[in-house]
Amino acid sequence: MDLHYTPEEQAFRAEVREFVRARLPRDISAKVLGHRRLAKDDYVRWQKILHERGWIAAGWPVEHGGTGWSAVQQHIFDEECAAAGAPRLIPFGLNMVAPVIMQFGSEQQKRRYLPRILSSEDWWCQGYSEPGSGSDLASLKTRAVRQGDHYVVNGQKTWTTLAQYADMIFCLVRTDSSVKPQEGISFLLIDMHAPGVTVRPLYLYDEEHEVNEVFFDDVKVPLENLVGSEGKGWTYAKYLLGHERTGITGVGASKRELALLKEIAAQQAKDGRPLAADPVFRQRLAQVEIDLLALEMTLLRVLSSRTKPGPEASILKIKGTEVQQALTELMMDALGPLALPFSRTAIEEGGSAAPLAPDYAAPLAARYFNWRKTSIYGGSNEIQRNIIAQQVLGL
Amino acid sequence: MDFTLSEEQQLFRDALAKFVQNEYAFEARRKIVASAQGWSGEVWARLAAMGALAVPFAEADGGLGGSGVDLMVVMQELGRGIAVEPYLATVVLGGGAVAAAGSPAQRQALLPGLIAGERQLALAYAEPGARHDLHDVQASARREGAGYVLSGRKATVLNGATADTLVVSARTAGARRDAQGVTLFLVARGAQGVSLSDYRTIDGLRAADLVLDGVRLGADAVLGPVDGGLAPLERAVDLGAAALCAEAVGVIEQLNALTLDYLRTRRQFGQPIGRFQALQHRAVDMLVHAEQVKSIVCLAASAAQSADERERRRAVSAAKSLVGRSGRAVAKEATQLHGGMGVTLELPAAHYAKRLTMIDFWLGDSDWHTERFAAASA
Ligand SMILES: Cc1cc2nc3c(=O)[nH]c(=O)nc-3n(C[C@H](O)[C@H](O)[C@H](O)COP(=O)(O)OP(=O)(O)OC[C@H]3O[C@@H](n4cnc5c(N)ncnc54)[C@H](O)[C@@H]3O)c2cc1C
């Protein structure tokens, strides 16, 4: 056992750090480090910079334009980007639909979609959940009926993250109602600009327009937009979910948040001294830091084993989101009553929510509430526990 | 020992409950919160007409001479509707300070108007950097002739911008964190040198930051003893904390009811999600929290006006500490059990969960009250 990074890995880290330092636009990192809301353009600008360097698709194989990096290199890259305040890479195209297209898609689909994902020309969103089908995804009702050279799609998706920006949506749709629910599902790529697609905003806890309802009303989708074969959508979706769960761990971002939390604790006061020196707060902070340290090691342990993560990915999802939530809570707590003022404008455009509060305080309570989502999406933490109980513990 | 409410208290509770249920429904509240003022004058007038604003004040001041338990009854029902009207700020905190420290003339000048629903108050004690400490006062009151000149800053003043009169703590002697040397003053919102900036809080209320820049006051503006304002301030804030805990009981009970209803009606995997044992146990824990909180709030309500300072501090801080921790736990569980619907503003649950969580940030958080409880118990 040797828990040090190799000299090559250290050199790689230095190279990434230098690149990010030189190329990450300051206005974007200021937003990320200040917990401000990002605009579409902020994400796209950074993704294009990475694309230009050939680093946009860390996890893709080289033949499709990926980096061919090892899992540990990918982790180092993620950590360096996060630490510097780079925006997260929008995962729906890069990490979700792309692996499915590579594995199960037609040659034509690979040629058409993969380059446009690399260049951020298409913004993708994920159309799985429906009002009646969240945890029980296999009960989904959106229907696609074959008519000549296309499908006609009718139904509704919900919770669709950032669908308001999207050019394409990958959907699970029902193509056969006569078989077992899992066997009648197909994986369809749908143009968001097609007639009959409507997007309606949903506002989260913190008044952010982050998710949407997406309605399909007699939407015509060419047959060539079916991925793989009809009725196999469930298998493809499960293939993808493993990718989603390791991605949600968020170790790099949590390490950055921990550092920001320490800065805030040094600036806030309690009992006439810095909050960072308060014994109760120090203990709470240290406990989260210890959890995060263990999580990082767990992630590296999973990543450095040669086998692909199986149900263990659920452990990373549970603990990763718990650490993220604990960090948002401590950050809010660090502010004391200064957590109370709320201003959408401050969160979106910068500034403070109250004249006597510091700018950095404005988004933190909102962020705490927003982050409750992490134990719900990507398969709720209850569902992850069910998976572990059944598939790891054999209960 | 008797935990039952008197018949009179029950009638009052039922009348308030009906009012909140019928006229403070989700949509009505949404409109009120979004309005320019942020709370409803109409609702306020109804509360005045029902006698709710008179509850804690002495009969000599035109009040009903109610106890801490009477106040608890009111706050619980307001909590059930997560009402945003400034009852806590005007009646309990501002009114409480005036009742605790005011001369007969000051009480006469302020309380009848308050009780009639015509006058709004606020208590401006918190300073940036002071966190929850009442004695951490930098705002200064300098003697000038027969009066005083006030300068300083007060943060997150609940109801600050709609208050006609502000009760302000300022230092007349001693150093920044001394207990001695704090004095309370009555300051008219419109007085020269007073500037207020109003904002929303994340739990749906309105607060303001206050800057006092050479505000000239007469001797009659002093509320209570010069240099000895900390004791009445602490009494008013304790009554406020006890009231806030009572509000939390209403919020928790309503949020638990909403969650239970969701567990019964939301179906996944062909059954109500309430059938899953993993969720049943969580709902049970929420109930245990509710029962524990209800009990400690009875204790705090009974001791909130006690002349025994130690007893009062222990009971109020015990309640606020537990409410802080349990409130957050219940809010988290309620959100989680609602799934995606829990994190949107579409359902009432998220609004209750936000208020419940943030109750811990007003009038001393759980850490602060736990420490105060320990000190009072030593
Ligand atoms: C912010 C956000 C963004 C999202 N983005 C997307 C997106 O882009 N695309 C997309 O398709 N979906 C998205 N989702 C949807 C997400 O995947 C679902 O919310 C999630 O699967 C839970 O479904 P639900 O909300 O219907 O909750 P429900 O399934 O109704 O669950 C309610 C509660 O019951 C529990 N529960 C359910 N079944 C069981 C069981 N068998 N045992 C124990 N407990 C159980 C759940 O854990 C939860 O606590 C997003 C959700 C959120 C909140």
Side-chain angles (χ1 to χ4, degrees):
Chain A
M1 193 180 294
D2 177 4
L3 300 187
H4 297 97
Y5 289 107
T6 63
E8 295 75 33
E9 285 164 348
Q10 289 174 34
F12 175 73
R13 183 186 290 281
E15 185 190 359
V16 174
R17 184 171 296 178
E18 176 48 30
F19 174 78
V20 177
R21 194 198 56 75
R23 297 299 310 278
L24 174 60
R26 293 289 176 270
D27 62 312
I28 298 180
S29 60
K31 279 191 187 179
V32 172
L33 298 174
H35 303 110
R36 308 285 158 179
R37 285 176 192 162
L38 272 64
K40 176 179 184 176
D41 175 63
D42 297 323
Y43 293 107
V44 171
R45 252 194 303 155
W46 174 236
Q47 289 181 179
K48 289 195 163 163
I49 290 168
L50 287 178
H51 176 51
E52 201 187 289
R53 178 69 180 80
W55 284 358
I56 185 68
W60 292 20
V62 179
E63 65 194 275
H64 291 301
T67 60
W69 287 337
S70 70
V72 173
Q73 279 178 303
Q74 289 176 47
H75 171 68
I76 291 172
F77 176 74
D78 174 59
E79 204 172 82
E80 288 302 321
C81 290
R88 69 183 182 121
L89 304 183
I90 297 299
F92 306 111
L94 279 170
N95 300 333
M96 293 188 181
V97 78
V100 172
I101 291 176
M102 284 177 216
Q103 187 78 13
F104 307 106
S106 66
E107 277 315 309
Q108 193 204 351
Q109 286 167 347
K110 289 178 199 167
R111 272 201 311 276
R112 175 171 173 77
Y113 296 115
L114 296 181
R116 298 168 66 95
I117 290 174
L118 286 171
S119 65
S120 297
E121 201 166 334
D122 289 338
W123 184 298
W124 285 80
C125 63
Q126 179 187 25
Y128 281 18
S129 308
E130 298 183 3
S133 309
S135 298
D136 181 15
L137 191 56
S139 67
L140 61 91
K141 292 197 179 69
T142 297
R143 284 201 323 140
V145 179
R146 240 179 215 268
Q147 251 172 41
D149 59 356
H150 56 262
Y151 290 100
V152 177
V153 178
N154 279 289
Q156 185 200 337
K157 296 292 173 182
T158 191
W159 308 122
T160 324
T161 299
L162 300 179
Q164 71 266 34
Y165 300 152
D167 304 297
M168 294 293 297
I169 182 170
F170 56 96
C171 278
L172 293 180
V173 294
R174 190 157 300 289
T175 39
D176 188 348
S177 312
S178 65
V179 292
K180 264 183 45 183
Q182 284 83 346
E183 286 163 15
I185 294 172
S186 300
F187 198 105
L188 213 52
L189 313 176
I190 303 177
D191 185 345
M192 288 293 282
H193 310 294
V197 178
T198 318
V199 177
R200 192 186 82 98
L202 285 172
Y203 292 91
L204 291 190
Y205 240 152
D206 55 344
E207 302 186 10
E208 174 150 11
H209 176 197
E210 181 178 321
V211 297
N212 302 271
E213 298 178 300
V214 180
F215 299 90
F216 300 95
D217 186 12
D218 283 333
V219 177
K220 282 176 147 189
V221 180
L223 291 184
E224 72 215 33
N225 283 24
L226 175 76
V227 174
S229 25
E230 251 188 33
K232 286 275 186 281
W234 190 250
T235 318
Y236 309 153
K238 283 210 304 206
Y239 172 80
L240 187 161
L241 282 177
H243 282 263
E244 187 179 4
R245 278 163 201 163
T246 34
I248 282 176
T249 314
V251 166
S254 286
K255 287 175 81 170
R256 174 191 70 220
E257 293 304 305
L258 181 79
L260 292 172
L261 169 62
K262 287 180 175 175
E263 280 177 31
I264 293 171
Q267 289 173 53
Q268 288 293 313
K270 187 178 168 193
D271 296 334
R273 61 181 173 190
L275 180 64
D278 177 66
V280 176
F281 197 82
R282 265 164 66 106
Q283 288 253 336
R284 285 169 63 193
L285 195 151
Q287 278 163 6
V288 178
E289 185 163 1
I290 291 164
D291 279 355
L292 176 55
L293 197 57
L295 178 68
E296 184 182 10
M297 286 299 127
T298 308
L299 177 68
L300 286 167
R301 198 152 56 85
V302 171
L303 291 181
S304 38
S305 75
R306 309 237 158 233
T307 51
K308 261 200 169 291
E312 302 78 31
S314 293
I315 298 174
L316 293 172
K317 200 267 167 170
I318 293 172
K319 203 64 218 177
T321 56
E322 285 177 357
V323 166
Q324 290 170 38
Q325 290 180 341
L327 283 165
T328 64
E329 186 162 12
L330 278 179
M331 244 184 238
M332 172 173 78
D333 285 346
L335 298 175
L338 297 178
L340 288 159
F342 177 77
S343 157
R344 264 182 86 160
T345 321
I347 298 176
E348 276 155 19
E349 290 159 26
S352 73
L356 299 181
D359 287 6
Y360 65 74
L364 297 183
R367 194 157 175 280
Y368 165 79
F369 287 111
N370 181 288
W371 239 249
R372 306 312 307 168
K373 71 190 174 189
T374 61
S375 49
I376 294 166
Y377 66 24
S380 76
N381 286 14
E382 287 75 26
I383 294 302
Q384 308 296 346
R385 286 185 167 88
N386 287 348
I387 292 171
I388 297 171
Q390 284 153 24
Q391 298 178 27
V392 180
L393 301 179
L395 291 169
Chain B
M1 206 175 259
D2 183 5
F3 280 90
T4 52
L5 296 178
S6 70
E7 201 177 322
E8 211 178 320
Q9 287 169 333
Q10 286 178 36
L11 285 172
F12 197 56
R13 180 196 60 194
D14 294 347
L16 264 173
K18 214 166 115 194
F19 173 67
V20 168
Q21 195 176 13
N22 294 339
E23 298 179 47
Y24 220 87
F26 185 49
E27 273 314 311
R29 179 184 180 275
R30 220 198 254 269
K31 286 207 185 83
I32 292 171
V33 170
S35 68
Q37 179 174 262
W39 55 273
S40 158
E42 229 167 281
V43 169
W44 194 251
R46 291 289 300 277
L47 289 172
M50 290 171 84
L53 308 186
V55 167
F57 299 109
E59 285 172 26
D61 293 328
L64 294 172
S67 65
V69 175
D70 293 306
L71 194 57
M72 176 183 88
V73 168
V74 176
M75 290 302 292
Q76 277 184 9
E77 296 315 316
L78 293 178
R80 243 176 267 284
I82 37 173
V84 294
E85 279 59 36
Y87 192 90
L88 180 68
T90 291
V91 178
V92 189
L93 292 171
V98 171
S103 66
Q106 288 169 329
R107 296 208 305 270
Q108 197 50 40
L110 295 173
L111 299 181
L114 184 166
I115 290 166
E118 290 153 7
R119 178 179 284 279
Q120 289 286 331
L121 262 57
L123 181 61
Y125 70 93
E127 298 199 356
R131 226 174 168 81
H132 299 292
D133 292 339
L134 308 184
H135 61 281
D136 191 338
V137 178
Q138 287 180 285
S140 70
R142 186 166 46 79
R143 271 213 93 108
E144 199 180 89
Y148 290 85
V149 181
L150 258 62
S151 291
R153 307 176 306 160
K154 299 286 173 181
T156 39
V157 181
L158 192 57
N159 196 36
T162 37
D164 303 292
T165 307
L166 300 145
V167 178
V168 179
S169 63
R171 193 157 280 293
T172 35
R176 175 172 171 184
R177 290 175 60 81
D178 287 353
Q180 267 299 314
V182 176
T183 305
L184 300 179
F185 292 90
L186 294 169
V187 179
R189 184 191 41 184
Q192 190 144 46
V194 171
S195 53
L196 279 156
S197 355
D198 177 36
Y199 47 81
R200 300 164 66 198
T201 62
I202 191 152
D203 49 356
L205 304 180
R206 295 295 171 95
D209 283 1
L210 167 67
V211 176
L212 304 157
D213 184 12
V215 180
R216 291 175 187 282
L217 300 172
D220 58 348
V222 174
L223 183 72
V226 173
D227 293 345
L230 193 61
L233 175 62
E234 195 185 325
R235 237 180 297 154
V237 173
D238 267 348
L239 189 64
L244 195 51
C245 289
E247 178 186 337
V249 170
V251 181
I252 289 175
E253 287 194 328
Q254 189 62 25
L255 185 53
N256 282 359
L258 290 167
T259 307
L260 192 58
D261 188 53
Y262 200 74
L263 291 175
R264 289 195 172 118
T265 49
R266 170 69 174 170
R267 297 177 70 88
Q268 288 290 277
F269 303 100
Q271 55 198 311
I273 56 173
R275 289 265 171 81
F276 301 122
Q277 226 163 41
L279 303 192
Q280 289 175 358
H281 288 189
R282 312 265 286 270
V284 170
D285 288 343
M286 291 166 76
L287 177 70
V288 174
H289 280 298
E291 292 303 321
Q292 284 280 88
V293 164
K294 254 200 293 196
S295 304
I296 203 87
V297 166
C298 290
L299 191 71
S302 303
Q305 286 162 321
S306 168
D308 179 343
E309 211 167 59
R310 184 166 168 275
E311 183 198 350
R312 189 193 77 210
R313 284 185 181 149
R314 277 190 90 228
V316 170
S317 281
K320 192 69 174 53
S321 164
L322 189 65
V323 160
R325 285 180 285 136
S326 286
R328 283 196 203 199
V330 167
K332 284 178 189 169
E333 292 294 37
T335 303
Q336 183 69 21
L337 299 191
H338 274 82
M341 288 311 288
V343 293
T344 67
L345 295 173
E346 306 266 309
L347 292 185
H351 301 259
Y352 281 84
K354 271 207 272 195
R355 174 64 182 148
L356 186 55
T357 304
M358 298 319 286
I359 278 179
D360 196 30
F361 289 76
W362 294 103
L363 308 181
D365 61 19
S366 188
D367 282 352
W368 192 85
H369 280 285
T370 307
E371 182 51 42
R372 186 171 181 253
F373 175 84
S377 307

